[in-house]
Amino acid sequence: MPDLLLELRSEEIPARMQRKAAGDLKKLLTDALVEAGLTYEGAREYWTPRRLTLDIRGLNTRSADVREDRKGPRTDANEKAIEGFLRGAGLTSIDQAHVHSDPKKGDFYVAHIVKPGRPAEEIIAEVMPGIIRNFPWGNPMRSGAASAKPGSLRWVRPLQSIVCLFGPEHEETQVIPFTVGDITASNITYGHRFHAPEAITVRRFADYIEKLEKAKVILDAERRKQIIAADAANIAFASGLELVEDEALLEEVSGLVEWPQVLMGSFEEDYLAIPSEIIRLTIKTNQKCFVTRRPGEETLSNKFILVANIEAKDGGKEIIHGNGKVVRARLSDAKHFWTRDQGNLPDLETLEASAAKFDLDLKKPLDQRMAKLDALNVTFHAKLGSQGERVQRIRTLAAELAKVTGADAALVDRAVVLAKADLRTEAVGEFPELQGIMGRKYAVLQGEDASVAAAIEDHWKPQGPSDRLPADAVGLTVALADKLDTLIGFWAIDEKPTGSKDPYALRRAALGVVRVLLERKVRLPLSTVVKDGDLLSFFHDRLKVYLRDLGARHDLIDAVLTPDADDLLMVARRVEALTAFVTSEEGLNLLAGTKRATQLLAAEEKKGTQVAAKVDPALLKLDAEKALFAAVTQASTEASAAIAGEDFRSAMEALSKLRGPVDQFFADVLVNDEDPAIRANRLALLGLIRAATGTVADFSKISG
């Protein structure tokens, strides 16, 4: 079966768009081929900065014939109806139709229409221009003289050539010469822009990829990544260093080069006085270079790794020199930011009111920045006020939370008022992703308590399911207050997540609260700070996700989680205990017995059968019901005591003693006795079972 090779070659595509674009191209074309009646064995996409390529194997040579039976009018219909049927079916005479009979509707005409399959080449040539013209680039551009004409081609960068070859693996292939704009598909491509700019004639994928490599183009992006990573690690190792790995940077750099050449540059060691985080971001952001360090050390070395796209005749000396000049200039700027952030602001006299509001010391640089943040009235959200107002809310909330977490209230307050201060530092202004990290460094420099400094960095954490939690009680208190204020505020202005949209990362904030409470074992009744029932329900949803990710069964979570449950740690402990219990033999047996009791009671309640308000011992006639009443009374007492001590396992063990009495009750006792009083009393006894087990979980929600 034949294969299809497609290449769309253009000016450099932004690295961040390449992987998605190649995937989009594969989906668009394969979907179009399948819709047109073709099948294929496999398809793989490739990309470089200058090309998107598809290799589709085992494509049908033509689409299958399609048969359609089109029902027409009755055989005794008027001439006009028959003429309309013939036109619609593409028939020239009624003799070409067939007569079918129906016992109820009589005889009627049917046209057996066969639409012959089409050659794959014809289908490809038909669908490709539309795919290219309507390709989902975010912001495509027009180029060339044709761009002035209406309907001219738009592409992310100017499209330069198209290769479209179709044919068997070991025979001659043919060009499918469709045209888009002023470009007609051919069998001609071009290699590396500088090393091999001449035209290359290709026949099929194996020939294409081999000739591209000779022309200094490595087509496979994953292979380019492997080359860069291995060469960078080896060059660093040869200098007694180790590469600081960065997967996002590796992905980006592999999208900037077609023929990766890895080199090492350096900068003056004086710049190592700048925090490593700033050095790394400066070099990464401005020059797309990797940094290195001594093995086992946290601080960086003065050597960096760059990736060029050409084999330089001088061994890369000029490339290294040019990159080094830019790196030094950017590090000089970074050093300037770092130094200025440790100095005094020029307008301290205007900050005194803000300093007094937050108990700030204007002799300290970070305090000055917080006062400046407040004095400038920097907006947090149009409906939620300024950053200063937000900090005041967090202070109030954190003071209450400190009573729960046991954190030092004074350290918590100090951490809160400084947590947002680095928003006004030049380092964070240049690199927003360093917020918190820089705050901690500046706090240490001005002599803050270690817990306060750590809390400034950690108040953002955790930012995901794998992110670490705050280091100590001060940090987790500030983190809780920050996230809860965010959630309470956005719920108050009705800015809740909807579907996949969550612009303020509120799901992440709620999950952060859940993780802190459960993993740091914090007993916080959320209803003391969360007054909105919808928000409590939102926390329940996040808790369910968290517990399911840990392996908890959804039915056990639902059995424990009531709408007003606000102590998430206790919910998690109940789920853990219930999970262990229901998988044991005694748990399974108790579950079966109690479910039978509660289901029977629920069915009678639904029918309106009278149920006594409480069990009357005088109406208990049989030994089995007397024994069950005694067992339920005893089990309820023991379970309640265990629950009061938060010993859920013992509570369930106490309830498990009901297994025998429940089984004996159903074996010996007819609940629906003819005497209404006895029946109502026995149903009340079943109600005691439901109430006793309900103190632990709603057993009716447990499957099995």
Side-chain angles (χ1 to χ4, degrees), residues 125 195 199 429 482 485 618:
H195 289 307
D482 184 87
D485 175 76

Side-chain angles (χ1 to χ4, degrees), residues 597-613:
T598 55
Q599 288 170 352
L600 175 57
L601 175 60
E604 293 302 318
E605 287 175 332
K606 188 174 182 180
K607 290 191 292 187
T609 306
Q610 182 181 0
V611 180

Side-chain angles (χ1 to χ4, degrees), residues 60-131:
N60 286 5
T61 56
R62 64 184 295 114
S63 60
D65 295 345
V66 178
R67 176 177 174 136
E68 177 189 352
D69 290 342
R70 184 172 298 182
K71 185 178 178 181
R74 286 166 52 95
T75 54
D76 58 359
N78 60 53
E79 188 174 337
K80 200 167 186 179
I82 292 175
E83 287 177 357
F85 164 64
L86 293 176
R87 282 196 304 272
L91 304 180
T92 58
S93 167
I94 197 63
D95 295 335
Q96 295 173 320
H98 299 262
V99 177
H100 287 205
S101 296
D102 186 293
K104 294 181 180 179
K105 299 181 180 179
D107 295 341
F108 57 91
Y109 291 113
V110 174
H112 298 321
I113 304 170
V114 177
K115 295 181 179 178
R118 301 165 60 202
E121 302 96 301
E122 181 182 317
I123 293 171
I124 295 165
E126 180 181 280
V127 302
M128 276 310 305
I131 289 173

Side-chain angles (χ1 to χ4, degrees), residues 509-530:
L511 178 60
V513 172
V514 170
R515 284 194 59 202
V516 168
L517 296 180
L518 271 56
E519 294 175 32
R520 288 287 186 263
K521 297 180 171 49
V522 177
R523 295 289 308 278
L524 173 65
L526 284 175
S527 59
T528 60
V529 292
V530 173

Side-chain angles (χ1 to χ4, degrees), residues 199-252:
I200 301 170
T201 302
V202 295
R203 291 178 297 169
R204 56 180 56 85
F205 183 76
D207 170 62
Y208 165 79
I209 197 169
E210 180 183 346
K211 288 182 176 177
L212 276 185
E213 187 134 351
K214 289 180 180 177
K216 308 294 187 185
V217 174
I218 296 174
L219 184 67
D220 188 345
E222 295 304 319
R223 188 166 158 236
R224 293 198 304 274
K225 287 174 67 173
Q226 292 168 6
I227 291 170
I228 293 168
D231 287 356
N234 290 337
I235 288 177
F237 181 77
S239 296
L241 304 170
E242 66 179 14
L243 181 72
V244 177
E245 295 182 359
D246 188 326
E247 179 60 31
L249 179 58
L250 180 60
E251 173 80 8
E252 183 177 11

